Amino acid sequence: MKENQSVSLKYVLVIALLGLMLFGDAAKAQKASWIWYPGDYEVWLSNKMQNRRTERGTFLPPFWKLDSHYVLMNFHKDFELTEPEDAKLYVEGQYNVSLDGKTVRGYPKTIHIPAGKHRISLKVYNQANVPAIFVQGTHLVSDTSWLVTYEDKEWIDASGKTSDVSATKYLMAGSWDFNDPVVLPSTYHLPVEPKKAVSIEKTPHHMFVDFGKETFGYIKLNGIKGKGKVSLYFGESPNEATDTARCELADKVDIDQKSGDYTFNGSRAFKYVGIYYDDNVSINDVSMLYEYSPVKQRGSFRCSDEEINKIWDVAAYTLHLNTREFFIDGIKRDRWVWSGDAYQSYLMNYYLFFDSPTVTHTLLALRGKDPVTSHINTIMDYTFYWFLGINDYYQYTGDKTFIQQNYPRMQSMMNFCLSRRDKDGFVQGQTGDWVFIDWADGLSKQGEVSFEQILLCRSLETMAECAKLANDSTGAVKYTQIAAYLKAKIFSYYWNDQKHALVHSRIDGKPTDNVTRYANMFSIFFNYLDEAKKQDVKKYVLLNNDVPKITTPYMRFYELEALCAMGEQSYVLKQIKDYWGGMLKLGATSFWEEYNPAKSGADVYAMYGRPYGKSLCHAWGASPIYLLGKYYLGVKPASPGYKDYIIEPDLGSLQWMQGTVPTPNGDIRVYASTKQIKVSADDGTGTLRFKSKTKPVCKQANIVSKDDNVYELQIQKGQNLVVDYNAL
């Protein structure tokens, strides 16, 4: 433990000094922004957001530990000016300012800075909100090149010189690009826009309002007057909105006004709203303020199958609804930041929005603060998904700085996980742990579950790669060795030759005979299986109806990804049409938390023992976005940040498809039919790989023949390539 702490501290000091050397003059090239201690704003805002949850007027907070921001912060900057300037100061909290070690009296709003080299420090205290500053000068501006610390050891010695900043745990500041000095970070909220209802059925003192599709926001009563009670009953289905005794969300308010409009304070998820009001109250109309995240949709997909097009559109709408300040699980019920749900949202995001800030904000909110005392969301597998999310973030964005800055937090999180292994080096649920895996009847969570070991192994491999990025060579070796040792033990202890699969668990040191899909399908796209074992798993597990089926979109996501990774796109396309198309046939306008074709009638909406407990707009239901982008259009990064990329289009049973995949520096565009492929990209170097019955032709690039009718060609930035071929 001491060795790891030493490495963490050494790394933090290196980052601080690098910040001074590399970013000392960066302010000249950046706009001023509100800044704070990295991760603190995410922790504070996620607390605020997640504690908005209510059910029928009852406050329902998260059931896991919530951390808080550091209340006292030191902001620090070394800089040089070629001429004097005045800098304006905006601060959230009580503060003092020092320039070159000398305190500026009072609460200055502007400070005069002469030409030359300087050190400025602002110490800010704020118990209620995150300590934050905004500095606006001609050249001196607050941005992420500033250094911050919650553990201020800076002091003035007898000679009047301040101590070396390397003695303090400085990190580079956090920011959300809030560029208006008079708009405080603590007042941030998502934008809204007015929306009208599709239809309103009126009876005496009652309205039934239909907004046409699943939505989220604030109900507005237009032209309301009188004195009395108004009650609202929200529903994702007509059944729920008319079941006043059992619907999940309801609001009541006392009205006393002559005329005007009334907007409810609480944002809600709904498609339908039942409104009841007293005899002395009248309402002319009902509308809403739709609340949304201003992310830009950059990805697209269209194909020869109109049902698939509809599925893609509804998936995109579902993900957008669940993209808020952070990626949340569902808009009706929890509205919390769950790591397993968020992990899938990250992947879908890379093929729809490519909004990196929402990913990093969510990762930081989930991680919280040290010391680590429990798993993320109390769920063992959700901790491992957090590590996997960081790995994918780096692969898609190439953002090395985020990895380096947060590597110490990764270390302490992994130290917690490793400290809870048993004598065989495996993890299993301990007191206070929730081993989730999936919502499935009869799924055993007892003992050493193979699925959890697979996730831990991948998390250790992620740690090894991130250690290299953080220049922690000792850590890289350690994590690599532990991962290799664990992987060998997994296949030694869990692989059953007679079952042709990994068994589900070990109990009291003995493997069970039970085979489930989870560890087996993850082993495929983690590339943990040799070709023979992959084929065994495909035949005896994934395509075997005797193995318990998966009914949640959450795990269908991974099952279908494993099949796509093995070239089963035609089969997967049919599964997408049956499963997600099945929800559309039941009238879904967003995708659900769970869908079981065997259920009908009122059971369709039931979950958790409640008649309307199921979320009909759940982020993990949007996975076709990712599958169609990565495994049909076939676009994926081959090196971090799409510096190099691969396009392997696979039509499955489609006649044609076309789409756009966003990247950090532009888009990749793909069109493929059975006779022609067209590709272009704004940045990076790509490899187009495809199969053809006959020798393909491309006038813009050389085609290289590989084995088994496989061909490749290189794609350069700005090229528009057209390939004539015969699809296999």
Side-chain angles (χ1 to χ4, degrees):
M1 178 68 76
K2 290 182 179 178
E3 178 185 355
N4 289 335
Q5 289 176 339
S6 176
V7 170
S8 298
L9 179 56
K10 182 188 296 183
Y11 169 71
V12 170
L13 300 181
V14 168
I15 282 295
L17 294 174
L18 283 174
L20 290 173
M21 292 186 291
L22 298 178
F23 299 97
D25 201 41
K28 295 181 180 179
Q30 297 192 39
K31 295 186 297 184
S33 176
W34 283 97
I35 60 173
W36 47 75
Y37 188 83
D40 267 18
Y41 188 71
E42 288 81 0
V43 167
W44 175 85
L45 186 62
S46 65
N47 288 349
K48 183 178 178 182
M49 184 194 76
Q50 292 180 107
N51 282 289
R52 292 177 191 154
R53 179 181 175 182
T54 62
E55 288 183 6
R56 300 183 65 88
T58 301
F59 166 54
L60 288 177
F63 54 77
W64 51 81
K65 181 191 74 168
L66 296 181
D67 293 321
S68 186
H69 60 278
Y70 295 120
V71 300
L72 181 61
M73 191 57 50
N74 183 38
F75 298 86
H76 173 93
K77 176 76 172 179
D78 284 349
F79 62 100
E80 183 174 4
L81 299 178
T82 57
E83 57 186 26
E85 68 180 49
D86 292 329
K88 294 181 179 179
L89 306 178
Y90 304 84
V91 182
E92 279 232 70
Q94 295 174 259
Y95 66 98
N96 68 34
V97 184
S98 65
L99 184 65
D100 302 327
K102 297 180 180 179
T103 301
V104 181
R105 293 188 178 279
Y107 292 89
K109 304 298 183 183
T110 302
I111 59 169
H112 178 75
I113 309 170
K117 293 183 178 181
H118 299 285
R119 173 177 295 178
I120 188 172
S121 175
L122 282 83
K123 297 177 182 178
V124 183
Y125 166 78
N126 195 328
Q127 184 76 41
N129 303 316
V130 176
I133 66 169
F134 189 106
V135 179
Q136 180 67 72
T138 305
H139 297 93
L140 176 66
V141 298
S142 51
D143 56 29
T144 55
S145 70
W146 283 59
L147 300 178
V148 296
T149 179
Y150 63 89
E151 192 172 83
D152 182 14
K153 294 178 181 176
E154 187 176 25
W155 54 279
I156 300 177
D157 63 22
S159 65
K161 296 179 180 178
T162 56
S163 62
D164 193 328
V165 296
S166 64
T168 304
K169 296 179 181 178
Y170 280 97
L171 292 176
M172 294 191 302
S175 172
W176 277 28
D177 294 326
F178 293 157
N179 304 126
D180 189 336
V182 299
V183 179
L184 305 180
S186 60
T187 64
Y188 171 74
H189 57 81
L190 293 175
V192 296
E193 64 179 42
K195 296 276 187 180
K196 293 183 177 180
V198 170
S199 67
I200 301 177
E201 298 176 10
K202 293 185 178 181
T203 57
H205 308 294
H206 172 251
M207 291 180 170
F208 185 77
V209 187
D210 180 0
F211 283 90
K213 61 182 180 180
E214 183 89 14
T215 190
F216 187 85
Y218 305 84
I219 287 293
K220 186 175 183 180
L221 307 178
N222 304 299
I224 183 171
K225 62 181 179 180
K227 183 177 182 179
K229 294 184 181 297
V230 179
S231 300
L232 272 62
Y233 302 94
F234 300 90
E236 294 182 304
S237 63
N239 306 52
E240 185 177 13
T242 54
D243 193 338
T244 59
R246 301 186 298 172
C247 66
E248 293 283 310
L249 302 176
D251 282 321
K252 293 184 179 181
V253 66
D254 291 318
I255 293 294
D256 186 2
Q257 60 185 49
K258 293 182 179 180
S259 64
D261 299 335
Y262 182 88
T263 303
F264 280 78
N265 289 326
S267 54
R268 299 284 183 262
F270 51 88
K271 182 179 178 183
Y272 307 94
V273 186
I275 303 175
Y276 296 84
Y277 44 98
D278 288 348
D279 293 349
N280 295 328
V281 176
S282 64
I283 304 171
N284 290 339
D285 195 12
V286 180
S287 62
M288 69 172 295
L289 294 178
Y290 171 65
E291 185 184 73
Y292 63 96
S293 172
V295 291
K296 180 181 179 182
Q297 182 170 313
R298 294 172 56 195
S300 65
F301 184 87
R302 279 294 175 270
C303 69
S304 55
D305 189 315
E306 281 304 317
E307 185 176 32
I308 292 294
N309 292 338
K310 178 65 173 176
I311 288 169
W312 192 93
D313 289 342
V314 173
Y317 183 62
T318 301
L319 183 61
H320 195 187
L321 282 172
N322 287 287
T323 302
R324 316 214 63 76
E325 298 94 331
F326 308 92
F327 288 118
I328 63 171
D329 62 330
I331 58 174
K332 177 176 79 171
R333 197 188 57 242
D334 292 12
R335 296 167 59 183
W336 293 342
V337 185
W338 292 92
S339 183
D341 306 57
Y343 176 63
Q344 294 193 1
S345 293
Y346 307 150
L347 295 173
M348 301 168 204
N349 164 72
Y350 298 134
Y351 288 88
L352 187 66
F353 308 128
F354 209 99
D355 186 71
S356 298
T358 306
V359 176
T360 56
H361 298 167
T362 306
L363 286 167
L364 290 169
L366 284 166
R367 173 57 184 83
K369 313 293 277 292
D370 285 328
V372 181
T373 59
S374 65
H375 281 294
I376 292 174
N377 306 127
T378 75
I379 301 176
M380 184 190 298
D381 20 320
Y382 279 27
T383 294
F384 301 142
Y385 285 128
W386 182 79
F387 287 107
L388 271 55
I390 290 178
N391 176 70
D392 290 336
Y393 174 74
Y394 178 62
Q395 294 304 316
Y396 279 94
T397 69
D399 183 359
K400 186 185 297 186
T401 301
F402 179 81
I403 305 299
Q404 293 173 331
Q405 181 112 327
N406 289 282
Y407 178 67
R409 304 184 198 195
M410 298 178 68
Q411 283 181 301
S412 54
M413 190 79 244
M414 181 53 74
N415 287 341
F416 172 79
C417 296
L418 295 179
S419 72
R420 296 166 74 82
R421 292 174 296 172
D422 62 21
K423 61 182 178 60
D424 291 318
F426 293 141
V427 289
Q428 57 181 309
Q430 298 186 25
T431 302
D433 293 347
W434 178 3
V435 179
F436 173 60
I437 307 174
D438 191 20
W439 295 123
D441 293 336
L443 179 62
S444 172
K445 314 292 179 68
Q446 300 301 310
E448 302 159 331
V449 179
S450 57
F451 175 68
E452 301 294 342
Q453 318 314 319
I454 291 286
L455 290 184
L456 172 58
C457 189
R458 191 63 162 183
S459 299
L460 284 161
E461 292 172 343
T462 294
M463 284 299 302
E465 292 303 311
C466 291
K468 295 173 186 176
L469 295 174
N471 299 314
D472 177 13
S473 56
T474 301
V477 171
K478 180 183 78 170
Y479 296 125
T480 299
Q481 290 176 342
I482 299 174
Y485 176 75
L486 177 60
K487 186 188 296 185
K489 293 194 75 171
I490 289 170
F491 285 92
S492 173
Y493 282 55
Y494 292 97
W495 183 264
N496 185 313
D497 285 328
Q498 285 70 45
K499 300 282 187 179
H500 304 278
L502 293 164
V503 296
H504 179 71
S505 61
R506 289 198 329 153
I507 297 178
D508 296 329
K510 296 181 180 180
T512 62
D513 290 330
N514 185 28
V515 173
T516 57
R517 298 173 186 264
Y518 307 105
N520 289 288
M521 62 198 189
F522 273 68
S523 293
I524 289 176
F525 51 76
F526 285 173
N527 204 28
Y528 284 180
L529 304 176
D530 59 29
E531 190 57 35
K533 282 186 170 65
K534 284 183 181 179
Q535 295 302 324
D536 278 353
V537 166
K538 183 170 77 170
K539 178 180 179 180
Y540 293 98
V541 181
L542 300 184
L543 301 180
N544 183 357
N545 289 330
D546 291 333
V547 176
K549 292 184 178 181
I550 292 170
T551 61
T552 60
Y554 178 54
M555 277 294 161
R556 289 286 280 175
F557 175 100
Y558 298 117
E559 182 180 28
L560 297 182
E561 178 169 17
L563 288 163
C564 282
M566 298 190 68
E568 293 292 330
Q569 273 75 349
S570 293
Y571 175 83
V572 169
L573 198 71
K574 184 179 184 305
Q575 295 296 305
I576 292 174
K577 288 167 64 67
D578 288 347
Y579 190 80
W580 280 267
M583 285 185 263
L584 294 182
K585 289 180 176 65
L586 291 178
T589 59
S590 56
F591 288 129
W592 304 353
E593 181 178 14
E594 184 259 4
Y595 168 62
N596 187 341
K599 292 182 178 180
S600 60
D603 288 344
V604 168
Y605 308 117
M607 204 168 177
Y608 309 110
R610 307 201 301 266
Y612 309 104
K614 183 183 300 180
S615 163
L616 300 191
C617 180
H618 222 69
W620 69 33
S623 56
I625 298 167
Y626 172 76
L627 297 173
L628 292 168
K630 183 175 181 180
Y631 291 104
Y632 290 81
L633 295 177
V635 179
K636 59 184 177 182
S639 63
Y642 279 95
K643 183 178 179 181
D644 302 288
Y645 59 90
I646 296 174
I647 304 176
E648 295 182 275
D650 193 321
L651 287 160
S653 57
L654 298 171
Q655 294 303 302
W656 63 267
M657 63 183 175
Q658 64 182 20
T660 302
V661 174
T663 75
N665 298 303
D667 296 330
I668 295 173
R669 291 162 288 275
V670 179
Y671 168 86
S673 69
T674 57
K675 299 295 183 183
Q676 195 173 70
I677 299 172
K678 300 177 183 179
V679 296
S680 65
D682 296 329
D683 195 48
T685 301
T687 298
L688 173 63
R689 184 179 299 137
F690 60 96
K691 292 182 178 181
S692 179
K693 297 176 185 176
T694 58
K695 185 178 180 180
V697 176
C698 179
K699 296 179 180 179
Q700 300 87 9
N702 294 324
I703 297 177
V704 178
S705 177
K706 301 290 184 179
D707 296 334
D708 300 324
N709 297 314
V710 175
Y711 298 87
E712 289 185 357
L713 58 83
Q714 296 300 302
I715 311 162
Q716 302 300 323
K717 174 182 176 181
Q719 277 187 310
N720 293 284
L721 301 184
V722 179
V723 178
D724 294 311
Y725 81 123
N726 244 321
L728 277 173

